[in-house]
Amino acid sequence: MAVILFDIDGTLIDSTNQMTEAIHLAMEDMPHLVKPSKESVQSSYGLAGNAFWRKAIPDASEEDIRAIRKKRHHHLEQTMAGQDVLFDGIRETLETLTKQGHIVSTASNCGVHYLNLVLDSQNIRSYFTSPKCLESVQGKQKADILAAHREEFGAVEYLMVGDRSSDVEAARIQQMPVAICRFGFGTEQEWNSADYQLETPMDVLKYV
């Protein structure tokens, strides 16, 4: 039995279109700001807290960011409703892992609202045991999420599965092996920094 920790964006799902639309809707009354492109939003995934917003919307003030984040919650629920944003093969992979007796959880730099929205809108909550995010563990970096899982599940085998360098760095801090998804949002350099590279979600079964 192993504990497999999945990042969310670029690993389980691609919600770039839905997120970009929700952010644009949240900025409708902010003509002083340039709305971020889809590419800008996608490149900001993996960053924690306000770092995401400072990269996606560099001209926004702290007050602007607070207002956008608050309104974005509501709009994202609308843009995600009825949308299947799972990467091909994710549901089958999660089902196989749980049937084999592995513990599946999440380790994402997102907030609790977004974590719950993804799990429920994609109907995948049943596969996850004690899903966690940066906000739920009150952490400062992704490694804190991995540490919380280690504290809960103890001395078992672990595997971090992600798509960006932040996933690799967190795994290195916690001395966990890490597999990176080549179908995600990362670069060749990021892929080469991981222990394993996944061409498809089902490839994770080779390493547990």
Side-chain angles (χ1 to χ4, degrees):
M1 184 274 288
V3 176
I4 301 97
L5 308 178
F6 284 93
D7 175 52
I8 292 180
D9 290 291
T11 303
L12 295 176
I13 68 169
D14 181 359
S15 65
T16 308
N17 289 335
Q18 292 76 18
M19 180 67 75
T20 303
E21 182 181 356
I23 293 172
H24 286 188
L25 289 170
M27 295 174 64
E28 284 296 330
D29 59 350
M30 297 181 171
H32 61 291
L33 295 176
V34 176
K35 294 177 180 177
S37 66
K38 174 182 172 180
E39 292 73 23
S40 178
V41 170
Q42 188 176 93
S43 68
S44 302
Y45 280 137
L47 298 175
N50 278 358
F52 170 94
W53 298 98
R54 285 193 292 269
K55 183 172 182 179
I57 316 171
D59 294 333
S61 66
E62 292 297 315
E63 183 178 353
D64 290 331
I65 291 173
R66 283 194 295 270
I68 294 168
R69 293 183 71 165
K70 183 176 181 180
K71 290 185 288 185
R72 190 256 345 230
H73 283 339
H74 169 70
H75 292 303
L76 191 58
E77 290 176 0
Q78 292 181 321
T79 60
M80 288 281 284
Q83 299 295 310
D84 180 357
V85 295
L86 293 174
F87 284 112
D88 290 343
I90 286 294
R91 191 179 304 279
E92 293 79 6
T93 300
L94 297 175
E95 183 175 353
T96 302
L97 288 170
T98 53
K99 283 185 176 179
Q100 289 182 353
H102 300 295
I103 293 173
V104 179
S105 190
T106 61
S108 171
N109 278 337
C110 67
V112 173
H113 174 270
Y114 185 67
L115 172 61
N116 287 331
L117 178 59
V118 170
L119 296 181
D120 293 332
S121 69
Q122 303 307 299
N123 194 28
I124 56 174
R125 182 179 292 277
S126 62
Y127 298 116
F128 292 91
T129 301
S130 192
K132 303 183 193 305
C133 64
L134 196 62
E135 182 182 14
S136 70
V137 304
Q138 298 181 327
K140 295 182 179 180
Q141 59 180 346
K142 180 164 281 193
D144 297 334
I145 314 172
L146 277 61
H149 281 97
R150 194 186 291 280
E151 182 177 349
E152 179 172 355
F153 297 109
V156 297
E157 296 296 322
Y158 291 87
L159 177 65
M160 177 68 208
V161 182
D163 73 306
R164 301 303 304 271
S165 58
S166 58
D167 301 306
V168 178
E169 291 163 4
R172 297 295 182 231
I173 291 171
Q174 288 300 319
Q175 299 182 338
M176 294 180 184
V178 55
I180 204 159
C181 304
R182 292 179 64 94
F183 53 85
F185 304 149
T187 63
E188 190 79 36
Q189 182 177 1
E190 289 173 298
W191 300 338
N192 291 335
S193 66
D195 298 305
Y196 315 116
Q197 296 185 22
L198 311 180
E199 297 289 346
T200 71
M202 290 293 281
D203 285 346
V204 74
L205 299 174
K206 301 175 183 177
Y207 307 113
V208 295

